[in-house]
Amino acid sequence: MRIWKFGDDIDTDAIIPGRFLTEYDPMKLAEHVFEGTRDDFRAGVQEGDVLVAGRNFGCGSSREHAPLALLGAGVRVVVAESFARIFYRNAVNTGLLPLLCPEAGALVEGHEAVIDIAGGVIESDGVRHSIEAVPPFMQEIVDAGGLVEYARNLEEVERCTGSHQ
Amino acid sequence: MGATLVEKVFSSRCGKEICAGDVVMADVDRAMIHDITGPLAVQKFREMGGERVFDPARIVMLFDHQVPADSIQAAENQKFLREFALLQNIHNYDLREGVCHQVVMEKGHAAPGEIIVGSDSHTCMYGAAGAFATGIGSTDMGFVLRFGALYFRVPDSIRVEANGAFAPRVGAKDLILSIAGDIGADGATYQALEFTGDTFGAMPMPGRMTCCNMAIEMGAKAGIVPPDAVTGEYVLARRPGAAIPDLASDEDATYAEWREYDVSDLAPQVAVPHNVDNVVDVDLVAGTHVDQVFIGSCTNGRYEDFAEAAEVLGARRFSDDVRVVLIPASREEYLKTLRAGLIERFVEAGALVEAPCCGPCMGGAFGLLAPGEVSLSTSNRNFRGRQGSTEAEVYLCSAATAAASAITGEITDPREV
């Protein structure tokens, strides 16, 4: 997979501008992903490419259109030094895998990367960087294939259950 | 061990001791959906096998981001939600009442100790009512519509204590911009901001709403002001008979951080493009030419903001070089502003006054900027492209600073006009 490199504080308005939010089909949203902020991404991104960012990726709006636009463009994994809270959760819920990597800054635009999720490693340019798994309570949602799949056969949920993490 | 306000809300709702870091499936008291994120939430609800929503009386629906509908697609989305509301017996405020967060507050949908979710990031505003309120995405909202509950990782809290009285023409917006500048755009990620001290104690509800509204701009999950007599009076006027629990954090509660502010020396603040935490005293950017001034949004579109703007304006006119766009946050705020004679004054002075909605705030409907243009706005975000072209610039400030700048045509200290 090829690396597309972004900086810190990439907000949801940059990922998908407000004027396109009447759409919620991933393929249609993908036609405008990063419009005006990084137009070469839309033209060049290929299925399976990985987006690598700095701190606070996905800050701003609650719009789920942001992970959907990335999914529509073929991105399945985002690796970042940190994620904004709502985006992180939206990503897990929709099936875009958000991976925390403190060393994301060392990864290079255009280079190839291999991600071993089970092993918790992303390898690029011969260097292995550790990635953190999603929190245990969200892993169940990831394993189910997103929150819709997780919830599809639930009749009821048990309140105030949970764990200390 | 002592508990923070947020820990107390969750403990109370769950009937057992809940601490920061706990992950719990908790009932929600209210869920809010609007025209932008609502259609997808409904679709997800249905994909999850949802037929009837958990409790129509606990769901608030309204349209504010693209009203009146600015495209056929927007009209279709609204029609879809209207039909869903009718089918499910959900009360739909439609496009009549105004911006979601203001409407939730003024219609009494938020009360102390409640857990409230909304499919909009500024849902954290209801912390002004002493509620734990947080923004969620559409799929999470689909889950809420179906089950009436959601998983929460209970956040740590940062205690923000402010003391002292504001100087004239300095207020809540300046304080929260200053706090955002200090904490940073991701400095409170996954945490809650607990606003305390005599400044917040003396602050009327509109200012508390402004501060809680912008908690998300620091990455926070929630902002919350301990409920007091001011909260009680506001909530009871809108929901007669509401329970007003005696909620306060314990003195020995554990905080991730404790920040203190003395507001008496605070100058008017401005967030400079393109980050919300890029905050400076107004004199550092005074003189910057502005093409558009926007007073509105859920952050600062209330009567009090317009009253402050009118006081700064006096008998003068706005500069002919500036497009001045004023949008009350709700019908109620619009009527108050209208009845006080302020709308007439603003129109005489050269402003455009629009019906309650989000307007240019999220760059959707109208009031957008051309490349190279500069906007000064009382809204909450100055991300690149937020109000139109990605080559435009958005500065954030209070209504007083916005009004002063609209008079001169350049960013101006409201204490100097």
Side-chain angles (χ1 to χ4, degrees):
Chain A
M1 52 178 64
R2 199 159 43 116
I3 293 169
W4 290 85
K5 192 78 184 289
F6 288 77
D8 294 336
D9 299 318
I10 301 299
D11 59 75
T12 49
D13 280 83
I15 300 169
I16 183 76
R19 61 190 181 278
F20 303 120
L21 300 185
T22 45
E23 282 292 349
Y24 44 98
D25 172 353
M27 299 310 289
K28 288 188 178 157
L29 289 167
E31 290 171 17
H32 304 288
V33 68
F34 290 114
E35 186 162 319
T37 52
R38 186 145 181 207
D39 293 311
D40 64 321
F41 180 83
R42 200 164 60 253
V45 69
Q46 291 184 357
E47 182 73 30
D49 284 355
V50 59
L51 197 155
V52 176
R55 286 170 48 170
N56 203 25
F57 185 81
C59 59
S61 159
S62 70
R63 63 187 71 160
E64 212 160 277
H65 310 64
L68 292 180
L70 293 173
L71 284 164
V75 175
R76 298 284 172 270
V77 182
V78 180
V79 177
E81 290 173 38
S82 67
F83 289 92
R85 182 186 57 81
I86 305 177
F87 179 88
Y88 186 86
R89 191 142 165 162
N90 284 345
V92 167
N93 287 346
T94 52
L96 175 71
L97 192 61
L99 297 174
L100 280 164
C101 175
E103 296 167 11
L107 296 160
V108 182
E109 167 85 13
H111 288 203
E112 290 293 319
V114 177
I115 297 179
D116 171 6
I117 291 165
V121 175
I122 177 167
E123 185 175 342
S124 186
D125 298 325
V127 183
R128 292 156 65 86
H129 306 279
S130 62
I131 47 176
E132 291 173 31
V134 298
F137 88 99
M138 298 189 87
Q139 189 61 48
E140 267 188 81
I141 295 166
V142 171
D143 292 344
L147 188 63
V148 168
E149 292 303 320
Y150 174 85
R152 200 188 290 277
N153 296 314
L154 275 178
E155 286 297 321
E156 196 44 64
V157 292
E158 203 181 330
R159 266 57 171 188
C160 293
T161 54
S163 57
H164 189 80
Q165 309 221 338
Chain B
M1 199 178 71
T4 65
L5 209 45
V6 166
E7 288 170 326
K8 286 201 173 183
V9 169
F10 276 92
S11 297
S12 158
R13 303 300 294 151
C14 287
K16 62 179 181 184
E17 193 184 331
I18 301 287
C19 302
D22 285 352
V23 176
V24 292
M25 175 71 79
D27 276 328
V28 305
D29 293 281
R30 285 284 186 286
M32 183 280 295
I33 60 176
H34 62 50
D35 50 335
I36 291 288
T37 54
L40 189 54
V42 169
Q43 183 187 310
K44 297 294 178 182
F45 162 77
R46 287 182 171 151
E47 286 175 15
M48 286 174 193
E51 288 172 9
R52 304 301 304 176
V53 295
F54 74 103
D55 181 358
R58 289 178 184 270
I59 299 167
V60 178
M61 182 191 286
L62 52 83
F63 310 150
D64 57 2
H65 278 64
Q66 286 163 313
V67 297
D70 63 344
S71 64
I72 294 169
Q73 179 86 54
E76 273 182 28
N77 287 348
Q78 290 170 19
K79 183 173 177 228
F80 173 79
L81 285 176
R82 228 170 251 135
E83 288 168 358
F84 180 74
L86 202 62
L87 183 73
Q88 297 282 345
N89 201 26
I90 295 168
H91 181 71
N92 177 16
Y93 289 110
D94 212 289
L95 50 66
R96 288 181 298 278
E97 294 297 337
V99 183
C100 55
H101 307 306
Q102 180 62 27
V103 173
V104 165
M105 289 294 294
E106 72 189 20
K107 297 294 181 189
H109 295 300
E114 292 188 333
I115 295 176
I116 309 176
V117 294
S119 53
D120 187 283
S121 61
H122 293 100
T123 298
C124 49
M125 190 169 105
Y126 322 148
F132 174 86
T134 195
I136 60 175
S138 294
T139 303
D140 270 337
M141 183 54 79
F143 190 93
V144 170
L145 295 178
R146 171 97 168 77
F147 299 108
L150 191 64
Y151 269 114
F152 297 90
R153 181 168 167 274
V154 179
D156 279 320
S157 294
I158 296 176
R159 185 157 168 148
V160 179
E161 184 177 328
N163 291 300
F166 291 111
R169 294 189 177 171
V170 180
K173 182 59 167 290
D174 302 299
L175 174 58
I176 197 64
L177 284 174
S178 164
I179 293 168
D182 291 343
I183 291 182
D186 67 344
T189 303
Y190 290 96
Q191 297 175 317
L193 300 175
E194 189 177 308
F195 297 115
T196 64
D198 62 32
T199 306
F200 285 104
M203 193 182 281
M205 285 299 276
R208 296 182 185 191
M209 292 188 216
T210 300
C211 291
C212 289
N213 178 284
M214 290 194 67
I216 180 69
E217 306 313 334
M218 289 153 263
K221 189 167 190 167
I224 188 164
V225 178
D228 58 12
V230 174
T231 328
E233 191 188 341
Y234 183 92
V235 173
L236 287 170
R238 288 156 178 82
R239 198 198 299 178
I244 307 292
D246 189 17
L247 263 180
S249 47
D250 294 322
E251 282 184 14
D252 58 343
T254 305
Y255 289 95
E257 204 181 333
W258 193 315
R259 290 177 171 268
E260 291 184 16
Y261 288 82
D262 175 0
V263 308
S264 51
D265 296 332
L266 187 69
Q269 303 289 293
V270 176
V272 176
H274 298 282
N275 294 304
V276 185
D277 58 358
N278 202 2
V279 177
V280 298
D281 284 1
V282 65
D283 61 352
L284 253 102
V285 286
T288 306
H289 168 78
V290 293
D291 298 289
Q292 178 167 294
V293 168
F294 169 49
I295 303 179
S297 85
C298 51
T299 316
N300 284 102
R302 284 174 277 279
Y303 165 75
E304 289 74 9
D305 298 301
F306 294 111
E308 195 173 20
E311 192 191 304
V312 172
L313 176 65
R316 289 173 283 199
R317 276 186 60 82
F318 293 123
S319 166
D320 286 340
D321 291 337
V322 185
R323 308 185 295 269
V324 181
V325 180
L326 307 181
I327 309 185
S330 70
R331 191 167 68 101
E332 187 176 311
E333 298 298 315
Y334 190 9
L335 282 170
K336 250 192 280 182
T337 310
L338 187 71
R339 286 170 181 151
L342 305 185
I343 299 289
E344 188 177 347
R345 183 74 273 281
F346 291 136
V347 173
E348 273 173 0
L352 240 114
V353 181
E354 300 290 337
C357 69
C358 297
C361 181
M362 77 129 203
F366 46 73
L368 305 188
L369 305 170
E373 287 193 326
V374 175
S375 163
L376 184 66
S377 170
T378 67
S379 62
N380 40 51
R381 285 190 180 133
N382 60 349
F383 299 156
R384 192 182 286 280
R386 179 71 180 177
Q387 291 180 19
S389 169
T390 50
E391 291 164 58
E393 297 189 323
V394 180
Y395 291 75
L396 306 177
C397 66
S398 70
T401 303
S405 309
I407 295 164
T408 60
E410 54 188 42
I411 295 178
T412 300
D413 187 331
R415 299 169 301 184
E416 292 173 5
V417 294

